[in-house]
Amino acid sequence: MMECLGSAPAASTATVLENRQVGPGCYRMCLENDYIARCTLPGQFVHVRIPGSSLDPLLRRPFSVCLVEPSNGAFLVLYQVVGRGTKMLSALRPGDRLDVLGPLGRGFEMPRAGAGGGGDDGSGGDSGNSIGRGSGAVRVALVAGGLGIAPLIMLSHALFRSGVGFVFVVGARSGELLAGLDLLPRAPGRDAVLSGRSASPEPAGPEIVQGAHVPPNGCDTATDDAGPRYEVQVVTEDGSMGRRGLVTDALRDVLRGGDIACAYACGPAGMLREVARMGETFRVPVQVSLEERMACGLGACLGCAVKAREATARSGRTAYLRVCADGPVFWVEEVDLDGIG
Ligand SMILES: Cc1cc2nc3c(=O)[nH]c(=O)nc-3n(C[C@H](O)[C@H](O)[C@H](O)COP(=O)(O)OP(=O)(O)OC[C@H]3O[C@@H](n4cnc5c(N)ncnc54)[C@H](O)[C@@H]3O)c2cc1C
Ligand code: FES
């Protein structure tokens, strides 16, 4: 069995186990690749060569790893058809094989248990994202716009296994565009999603008081103090599911509660900018996962460079970070979010 190589990329083949439409233009593809299933950390991505594109060597496309099942050697990608590459992907059938690079990039930094908490001074304490005893910051917020939910699903499983409570705020233009809610920890029927194989049971964990169902009012709250649990808040712009409005409207209310140690966000650039502003206002450290266009995916071509905020301020010269190698996850202080999207 090949050892995990950290951030060093491994090129390999993945076999399609399932590729199924789950919404308008939205697909869920389950792939078999033992290395990626074992070695991917939440927030990392795979760079997939689109088959049938031999005349277009640049046709690799990045996708977040949404879920892994190491015991089955399977991993899941949730994707939206937006152009040529994703259209070709959607035509793949079980048994087809893909050339995949990964896992790539720097994923989410997990919250750490400790006495620091978010810190009254907004510094986030020493670690920036600690869950503090006595600090009032007892859970974290996950904020997803559209298919930005993909990397956050894997993060939600890691948090759940670590016993960290969280609120997952999920938004889309309308209810039919919401995807992936059934992939949250212990969601009904989740065992069947990885290719119809019997998935290994969720590790014995603390009881979830509120599960990943979508409550009619789009907001669900935990009701007792027994162990970590999570809640899901659904927001749609047209009000067809959950609360009507923007995902950031719901996030604002969550942050007003004062018990959020840090926030993790993935979605459209405008949403990320607003989440960053809110983090500053409420003194909550924020990590964002960026989805810039990529070429090599390996840190070599600078095709995905974004302006670095802290490094530019420090050196007085414009500095850049590579989304593929330095990210795709960044603390908001690290990057100039005005320059993305
Ligand atoms: C780290 C990372 C993780 C990603 N994870 C996912 C995921 O889990 N699910 C998912 O559906 N997509 C994800 N994306 C975006 C995905 O890579 C693009 O949608 C895909 O490459 C489009 O390929 P295409 O050939 O179909 O589109 P193209 O024909 O190349 O482009 C079609 C249209 O989509 C736009 N577009 C292409 N790439 C991007 C992009 N990266 N961001 C914004 N707009 C783009 C183009 O500007 C154009 O308007 C991720 C991107 C990155 C960088
Ligand atoms: S895509 Fe080449 S450096 Fe990031």
Side-chain angles (χ1 to χ4, degrees):
M1 189 184 286
M2 189 173 162
E3 260 182 67
C4 297
L5 300 171
S7 58
S12 51
T13 302
T15 306
V16 177
L17 298 170
E18 185 187 55
N19 191 22
R20 170 159 84 81
Q21 187 162 6
V22 292
C26 179
Y27 288 75
R28 185 149 89 186
M29 182 155 60
C30 183
L31 293 144
E32 185 173 44
N33 180 292
D34 178 65
Y35 182 79
I36 292 170
R38 279 188 299 108
C39 299
T40 304
L41 299 170
Q44 289 190 300
F45 67 97
V46 287
H47 212 21
V48 176
R49 186 184 292 280
I50 309 295
S53 60
S54 55
L55 295 178
D56 186 351
L58 291 181
L59 206 55
R60 265 191 197 274
R61 295 293 185 255
F63 297 97
S64 302
V65 174
C66 171
L67 203 57
V68 293
E69 196 68 64
S71 57
N72 286 327
F75 70 99
L76 202 82
V77 164
L78 201 56
Y79 66 96
Q80 187 76 38
V81 173
V82 295
R84 193 157 64 110
T86 43
K87 176 111 187 88
M88 289 164 93
L89 269 193
S90 71
L92 294 179
R93 296 286 166 260
D96 287 343
R97 289 158 77 81
L98 281 173
D99 169 351
V100 178
L101 264 181
L104 298 175
R106 179 179 74 154
F108 295 107
E109 203 174 299
M110 290 284 284
R112 280 167 261 184
D120 288 343
D121 60 357
S123 67
D126 286 345
S127 60
N129 59 346
S130 47
I131 303 283
R133 249 170 278 147
S135 68
V138 295
R139 56 182 187 159
V140 301
L142 278 55
V143 192
L147 276 202
I149 194 171
L152 297 172
I153 287 172
M154 187 166 170
L155 176 65
S156 75
H157 283 258
L159 292 168
F160 180 64
R161 278 195 302 273
S162 310
V164 176
F166 59 92
V167 52
F168 207 145
V169 189
V170 183
R173 282 199 313 281
S174 75
E176 61 175 4
L177 297 173
L178 285 165
L181 289 172
D182 56 335
L183 299 174
L184 296 185
R186 288 201 180 153
R190 191 184 77 76
D191 283 358
V193 300
L194 287 178
S195 70
R197 296 164 168 225
S198 60
S200 60
E202 195 68 49
E207 189 190 353
I208 292 184
V209 177
Q210 304 293 341
H213 62 282
V214 181
N217 65 357
C219 177
D220 214 354
T221 45
T223 53
D224 78 12
D225 293 331
R229 78 292 306 267
Y230 67 91
E231 78 183 79
V232 180
Q233 297 195 14
V234 171
V235 187
T236 51
E237 288 178 33
D238 64 3
S240 55
M241 197 181 278
R243 167 177 173 169
R244 179 192 293 270
L246 298 174
V247 72
T248 44
D249 300 335
L251 177 65
R252 187 177 298 106
D253 292 343
V254 167
L255 294 177
R256 280 189 181 129
D259 66 343
I260 299 298
C262 63
Y264 301 87
C266 185
M271 183 201 96
L272 297 183
R273 284 191 279 272
E274 187 57 22
V275 173
R277 272 193 289 272
M278 284 185 189
E280 218 172 302
T281 305
F282 289 93
R283 300 179 170 187
V284 168
V286 176
Q287 292 175 53
V288 290
S289 179
L290 303 186
E291 297 197 340
E292 289 300 291
R293 298 214 65 166
M294 284 182 184
C296 72
L298 298 171
C301 72
L302 301 185
C304 62
V306 290
K307 201 167 150 194
R309 201 167 128 196
E310 279 178 344
T312 299
R314 251 197 326 268
S315 68
R317 291 175 36 205
T318 306
Y320 292 92
L321 288 164
R322 300 154 305 171
V323 173
C324 64
D326 302 312
V329 176
F330 297 97
W331 290 101
V332 288
E333 293 76 17
E334 292 179 283
V335 283
D336 178 2
L337 291 176
D338 290 332
I340 65 162

